[in-house]
Amino acid sequence: MAEFTLELNDDQKQVRDWLHGFAADVIRPAASEWDEREETPWPVIQEAAKVGIYSLDFYAQQFFDPTGLGIPMAMEELFWGDAGIALSIVGTGLAAVGVLANGTEEQIGTWIPQMYGDADDVKVAAFCSSEPDAGSDVASMRTRAVYDQAKDEWVLNGTKTWATNGGIANVHVVVAVVDPELGSKGHASFIVPPDTPGLSQGQKFKKHGIRASHTAEVVLEDVRVPGHCLLGGKEKLDHRLARARERAATGGERVKNAAMATFEASRPAVGAMAVGTARAAYEVALDYAKTRTQFGRPIIDNQGVAFQLADMRTQIDAARLLVWRASWMATTGKPFESAEGSMSKLYASETAKKVTAQAVQILGGNGFTREYPVERMHRDAAIYTIFEGTSEIQRLVIARTLSGMPIR
């Protein structure tokens, strides 16, 4: 088991510096343009593919880092460059992780390469879970998957929303209800191959922030996928459903807690994204405060500005420490007895919103214009307290974990 440390090793430092260079030289110069265009930055994704960042191999290497710091380190550097472009680069990973977590070896080998394509023909993938009436409340999901035994096909119907890369993806991973009586335990995940009839893009959302990342509805109308597109296979699904039915009366809570542990383990990565955005805004504000003069001296000489910057840096470092702790715990198998995963995501997300707002304030009128990047960073930061579980949901998870009570 890797010991917890705050010092990156030489290999990690090399990867960090490489990612930082890509973020500084490729992502950040393109950020304003693609934010204004509100389009997927295909040229930047292609550049990431050429150097090996946009690939399953890269993320697998970071995921299997024994210290647990590979993924948060990578997320922080990429999102330091720009949140919208970075999400376009890492968004396919959501679908890939869905296949890795639930798929067979054959499914992993077949579909994940199709999610990424190659440097000459990059592809993206979409993970489709949220619905108009089922975001945090996954038990309210309405998308249905019905098995047609005669044809060995699953028929999917429903509407997904807030899907990163939804509708433009080469491969969609769709979560659907196969047994409504089991609530969230009656869900299964399906691969929808390229050009499958019945799948279409619905509304594309015009967002407040992360505008370079494509977010849209995905509409499924009598979408038929072969039986082998059920992740994990039907035998495994039937066994899992049977166990869920048996436990419905006496063991349901154990199943629920196991699912919660899976969600907890993914949240530090979002926290790392927030840390990257906050750090970027802080650095801009610090540089500005050192060079902007008023009344004959740099504004950082004023205690009101200097104390804001001191608080900003302290909060960013505290957020990173929470993220690293949770990431290390998840990798080394230590249980989140105090909902440490949710803690990291909650604090880092709130820190990003606060720090980017302070950066705008320090830049004054300039911070309110698009001539300076803190305006965009402030808009981008708003998403962190919303996706992957809102701040309110994180507080609920933490409170329930600490108290052992069904707080509502």
Side-chain angles (χ1 to χ4, degrees):
M1 179 183 296
E3 295 295 326
F4 181 70
T5 176
L6 301 178
E7 181 67 27
L8 299 178
N9 60 42
D10 290 341
D11 289 341
Q12 290 169 327
K13 290 177 182 177
Q14 185 176 8
V15 172
R16 179 199 62 190
D17 294 344
W18 172 52
L19 290 170
H20 186 80
F22 183 84
D25 298 339
V26 181
I27 293 178
R28 186 164 282 191
S32 178
E33 174 188 352
W34 292 100
D35 177 73
E36 292 285 351
R37 292 174 63 166
E38 298 191 54
E39 297 174 357
T40 300
W42 292 107
V44 183
I45 298 175
Q46 187 172 36
E47 285 300 312
K50 286 180 179 178
V51 300
I53 294 174
Y54 185 71
S55 69
L56 176 64
D57 288 344
F58 170 73
Y59 290 108
Q61 289 174 10
Q62 304 316 308
F63 181 81
F64 289 112
D65 182 330
T67 69
L69 302 185
I71 289 294
M73 178 190 64
M75 294 300 106
E76 180 177 338
E77 294 304 329
L78 292 173
F79 281 74
W80 173 89
D82 177 67
I85 291 177
L87 190 57
S88 291
I89 293 173
V90 306
T92 292
L94 297 173
V97 167
V99 176
L100 283 169
N102 301 296
T104 64
E105 290 187 9
E106 182 179 357
Q107 289 170 330
I108 292 170
T110 298
W111 296 111
I112 291 183
Q114 295 187 49
M115 293 180 175
Y116 286 92
D118 56 48
D120 296 321
D121 185 22
V122 294
K123 305 291 185 182
V124 295
F127 183 75
C128 307
S129 179
S130 294
E131 298 184 1
D133 296 318
S136 299
D137 183 12
V138 294
S140 297
M141 189 177 293
R142 296 181 180 178
T143 297
R144 296 289 188 264
V146 178
Y147 185 56
D148 183 342
Q149 188 170 0
K151 296 183 178 181
D152 185 28
E153 293 179 337
W154 289 89
V155 185
L156 279 62
N157 282 282
T159 298
K160 295 295 181 178
T161 193
W162 310 123
T164 299
N165 298 329
I168 66 170
N170 195 49
V171 176
H172 290 76
V173 177
V174 177
V175 182
V177 179
V178 295
D179 188 334
E181 294 183 1
L182 293 177
S184 60
K185 303 176 191 68
H187 296 175
S189 296
F190 299 85
I191 291 285
V192 180
D195 302 318
T196 299
L199 184 147
S200 62
Q201 178 183 308
Q203 175 187 4
K204 177 186 175 182
F205 295 104
K206 297 182 73 66
K207 304 187 298 295
H208 175 64
I210 56 168
R211 301 198 302 191
S213 174
H214 176 96
T215 310
E217 291 181 333
V218 174
V219 180
L220 303 126
E221 297 179 308
D222 291 330
V223 171
R224 287 182 168 268
V225 299
H228 61 76
C229 286
L230 166 65
L231 288 181
K234 193 168 188 306
E235 182 177 348
K236 181 178 178 181
L237 173 65
D238 289 342
H239 179 66
R240 178 168 62 81
L241 295 177
R243 289 177 58 204
R245 294 184 190 106
E246 291 173 2
R247 292 178 175 176
T250 59
E253 193 63 30
R254 285 203 311 273
V255 176
K256 178 181 178 182
N257 287 339
M260 184 61 71
T262 300
F263 286 124
E264 276 281 277
S266 70
R267 285 170 175 155
V270 179
M273 299 174 187
V275 170
T277 299
R279 189 183 112 211
Y282 158 76
E283 290 175 0
V284 172
L286 177 63
D287 289 343
Y288 186 88
K290 289 179 177 179
T291 57
R292 172 67 168 171
T293 59
Q294 289 287 281
F295 305 107
R297 61 181 184 176
I299 63 173
I300 199 170
D301 283 357
N302 297 304
Q303 193 177 85
V305 174
F307 279 16
Q308 282 194 74
L309 289 163
D311 286 343
M312 291 159 73
R313 176 59 185 267
T314 301
Q315 291 157 5
I316 291 167
D317 283 10
R320 183 184 297 108
L321 289 173
L322 285 170
V323 167
W324 282 19
R325 179 184 70 168
S327 300
W328 173 76
M329 290 177 69
T331 297
T332 56
K334 291 187 175 295
F336 288 157
E337 295 179 351
S338 300
E340 287 87 350
S342 285
M343 282 185 183
S344 70
K345 197 268 184 183
L346 169 65
Y347 190 80
S349 298
E350 295 293 341
T351 293
K353 283 187 67 174
K354 184 175 181 179
V355 166
T356 55
Q358 288 176 302
V360 170
Q361 188 68 25
I362 289 171
L363 269 68
N366 287 327
F368 200 66
T369 72
R370 296 186 185 179
E371 297 300 314
Y372 287 79
V374 292
E375 176 272 340
R376 183 182 68 253
M377 294 168 182
H378 184 42
R379 287 189 285 108
D380 292 341
I383 193 60
Y384 299 125
T385 62
I386 298 173
F387 71 177
E388 193 76 11
T390 64
S391 287
E392 291 73 22
I393 289 295
Q394 307 307 323
R395 292 186 175 99
L396 186 64
V397 170
I398 296 166
R400 285 177 174 176
T401 303
L402 296 177
S403 69
M405 302 297 289
I407 297 169
R408 300 183 183 279

